[in-house]
Amino acid sequence: MDILSYLVFFSAVSGIYAIATLGLNLQWGFTGIMNVGVVGFFGVGAYATAFLTGPAYPDAFGGFGLPPLVGYLGAMIASGLAALVVGLLTIRLRHDFLAIGTFGAAICIQLLAMNLKPITRGFDGLHSLPRPFAGLAATPVAANAYFLAMVVAIIAAVVWALERMVRSPWGRVLRAIREDEEASAALGKNAFAFRLQTFVMGSMLMGLAGALYASFTGFVSPQDLLPILTFQVYVMLIVGGSGNNYGAVLGAVLIWALWTMTETFLGAVLPAGLKQQVSALRVVLVGLILVLMLLYRPQGLLPERANVSREARLQG
Amino acid sequence: MSAAKPRSDVPHLAVTDLVAGYVPDVPILRGASLRVDDGEIVAVLGPNGAGKSTLVKAVAGLVPARSGDILVHGASILGLATHKLVGTGVAYVPQVGNVFTRLSVEENLELGGLGGPPSRTRQRIAGMYALFPDLARFRRLAAGRLSGGQRQMVAVARALMAEPHLLMLDEPSAGLSPRMVELVFQKLLEIRAVGVSILLVEQNAKAALAICDRGYVLAEGRERFEGSGRDLLASPEIGALYLGATTRLAS
Amino acid sequence: MIQVLADGVVAASFIVLGVVGLSMIYNILNFPSFAQGDHIATGAYIALGIVALAGTAGSIAGLSFGWPLIGALICATILNGLLALLIDRSIYRQLRLRNASRISLIMASFGVALMLRNLIVLLAGHDPQYYAFAIQPALSIGGARITPNDLLAVIVTTMMVVALHLFLSRTTLGKSMRAVSENPSLARVNGIDVDRVIRWTWLIGAGLAAIAGVLLGLSVQVNPSMGFELLLPMFAAMIVGGVTSVYGAVLGALLIGVAEAITVHYIAPEYRQAVAFLVVILVLLARPQGILGEKA
C-alpha cells in the first residue's frame, strides 16, 4: 500500500474513533457519567447500519440494501434507543454502579450479537456492506478519500455543536451535575433528565461511529465488539484531555497512531509467528500510557479550558 | 500505650502559633496557641467556623499544619501519622462517625485497646463496663443500633481503652438531650478524677464552662480570650460576643 | 432439579472466592476493581507455571491431579498476593497519594486488567491449557452427578468462607479490616495502620483469587480470559449482597451461580453471562441496598 492511501485509511479510522471519543466526552468529560459500555452502543450502531444497508442475507432477516446515509441515521436512532433503555435502568445509580451496569449492558449486547443468529448471523457476521462513494469514485483510494472528507465534516459539525451546547446554560447545568453528585441529587428529577439526555446523545455518537466503521470496513461481527474498544476510547479521551472536545479528537488520532504504529513496528522487529504477542504487547503499552497519564497528567494533553474547578474537585 | 507516667510540670499538650487548614493558602487556624496541663479540663469555645474542630483535627494529624508547633510532653508531634497518635498517649473522639457502627460494642472497645497484651485489654474492657454500666448490657450489639448518648459513651470508652493521659473530645454534647449532656459531662469529671487530662471542644458553652478548669475562646482561627471557666462565664464581653450567640443558636 | 442446584453451587464457588477479594477491595480502597477477574487468571497461570516445572505426578483419591498441584496452589496463592501488592504499590498507591478521584482508580484498574490479561497472552499464549489430563469418573451425591474436582472446589470454598469468617470476627487484623472498611479516618485515630490493612487486603483478595483460578482451571480449563468472564458475575454477587457485607457477597454469589445454572439448563446456555446483569438490574431497582446491605 502506498503511503497516501495508507494515510487516508488511517485518518478515516482515527476519525471514526474521534466521533466515539466525542460522544464519551459529552458523557464523561462534561457530565461525569462513567459509561463503561462504549463498545455496546458502538456495536448497536454497527449492526443497525448493516441491518439496513446490507445485501439480503439468505440465512438471516435483514439486509434491506438501503443507502448508507439511511443506515447512519438508523444507527443513531437504534443506539439512542438502546441508550434510553440502559439509561433508564442505570443512570440513577452511583458512579461505580453505573460503571458496572453499563459494563454489563455492553456484554449483553455482545452476547446478542453472537447468539441472535436470525438477525446477526452469529460469528459469521454481516458482510458485503455497501461502501459509501464506491459508485462515485474512480478508485478505491478515491472512495476512501471521499469517506475521509465526510468523516472530517461530521467531526467538525459535532465539535461545533458540542462547543455551542456546553457553553449554553444547558452545558453549565451539566458541569454542575458533574462537579457535585450530592448537590445534583438535590436537583432530583431534573438532574436525572439532564444525565439521561447526555447519555443518549453521547451514545448516539458512539452508534454513529460504529455505523461508519461497519460501512467503511464493509463488515461487522462480534469480534468488533470486544471490551478493549471501550478501553481504547477512554485512553483516547484521557490522553487528549477529558472535558475538551479538541482534546478528544487529538487523543483519538494520537492513540490510534500509536496503536497502528506499534503493530507495524513490532511486527517488523519481532519474528513472524509472534502476531499474538505483538497485539498483546500493544495492549500492555496502551495500558501503561493510561496509568502514566492518570498519575502524571490527569488533565490530559489539552486540559479542560475555563473556569471549571476540576483541580478542586480532584482534591476534594 | 504504656507511655511512662508524664512529668506533671510539662504541659500534656502545648499548641503554639498553629497555622493549619485543609487547602494550602486557606488556613482555618491562623496562629492559635493553647496548653493543657496535668489533670486539667480545658474547654475550647467559639462561634461556628472559628476553627475549634480544626484545632483538634490538626493535633490528631487529620489536618496538615503549615507552621507553628504541637508538643506532647514537650516533644513535637508535627507530621506524625494519625495512627501513631495513640502511642503518644493522646486519644481523640471525633464529633461525628466516632464509633464503628457495624462492629459490636465490645469490638469497638477491643480496637481501642489495640497493641496491648490481650489480658490487659480484657481488664480495661471490664474497667470500661464499670465506668459505663449501660455498655455491658449491649456488648454484643452493633454500635450503630445504640442511641446517640450510648454511642457517645462507646466513643469515649473506646478512646480510653488506649490508656491515654490526654483525651480530646470534639463536641461530645452535639445532638444529645440536656439530661444526656449532663450525664456525659459527669463522666468526664470521673475520668479526670483518675488522672486523665481533657481537652474539650464545645458549642454548648454553658455546660462546658461549668466543668472546665480553664477555657479558650477561639475566633477567626486564633484564641481571643483565656481564663478560668468561672471568669469566662462571668465576662459580659465574652457573653455578648460569643456565648450569647451560641446560646441563641442552641435554643 | 438437584443437578441444577449442584451445578449452581459449583459455579458459585468460583464466584465466591473471587468476590470476597472484590468486596474487600471495594470496601477498604473504595473502588470496584475491574482487574479482580484477571487476578484470578494470573493466579491460575502462576500455578500452571509451577506445575509445568514440577509436574503433576500421581493422583489423589479420584482427583485428576497429584500432590505437586497442591504445592503449586499454595505457592500461587502467595505469589498472586505479592503481585497484587506490587501493582498496588506502583499504581493505586501512587494515585491515592495524589488524592485521585474514585473514577481515576476505576480507570486504572481497567488498565491493570488489560495489562495482566495481555501479559498472560504474551507469556503463555491464547490457547487453553490444563493442569492434568487424568480421567476422573463423576461421583453421584444425592442424585446429582459431580466430578471429584468440582466437589473439591465446593469443599475448599466452604472452608475458605469459614476461615474468612473466623478471621474477620476473631482476629485483630480482621476486626481492623472491618473497622477500616467502615470508617478509615476513625480507624487511624484508633491507632490502626491503614496502609498495613490495605496490604493485607490485597494479599488476601488476590490470594483467594488465585485459589479460585486454580479450582476453575481444574474444573474447566486455564485460559487468559477465564477471570475476565467471571468479572460480571462477581460484580453482580457483590451488588446483590449489598456491597458493604462480605457475607452478603457470598450469598449473592450463590444466587448468581444458581441463576446461571437455571439459565444453562432450562433457558439458553449461551446467555449465561447475561443472567448476572439482569439480576443486578432487578436487585438495584427493587432493593438498591442489596440483600444484606444497610440503607445509606
Side-chain angles (χ1 to χ4, degrees), chain B residues 51-138:
Chain B
K52 306 187 299 287
S53 290
T54 309
L55 181 68
V56 275
K57 281 184 189 161
V59 174
L62 294 170
V63 173
R66 311 284 158 196
S67 67
D69 208 351
I70 303 168
L71 305 171
V72 172
H73 294 140
S76 176
I77 60 159
L78 225 52
L80 189 77
T82 300
H83 71 267
K84 291 185 176 149
L85 183 76
V86 280
T88 68
V90 178
Y92 163 54
V93 180
Q95 182 185 350
V96 287
N98 54 20
V99 296
F100 296 109
T101 55
R102 282 183 236 142
L103 269 59
S104 71
V105 168
E106 186 139 323
E107 285 171 332
N108 267 280
L109 298 186
E110 281 171 35
L111 286 179
L114 219 59
S119 60
R120 183 77 187 130
T121 304
R122 275 196 300 279
Q123 215 178 348
R124 292 289 293 172
I125 290 178
M128 289 306 137
Y129 289 152
L131 186 61
F132 303 103
D134 265 5
L135 300 187
R137 286 195 286 137
F138 302 124

Side-chain angles (χ1 to χ4, degrees), chain A residues 56-82:
Chain A
Y57 300 103
D59 53 349
F61 175 68
F64 294 104
L66 294 168
L69 205 60
V70 178
Y72 301 156
L73 286 176
M76 289 177 76
I77 293 169
S79 50
L81 287 175

Side-chain angles (χ1 to χ4, degrees), chain A residues 28 94 96 101 231 295 314, chain C residues 26 98-99 102-103 114 277:
Chain A
W28 191 40
R94 278 163 34 189
D96 40 0
F231 176 70
L295 282 175
L314 284 174
Chain C
Y26 183 89
R98 289 167 167 78
N99 286 323
R102 178 193 264 192
I103 283 182
L114 280 155
F277 176 69

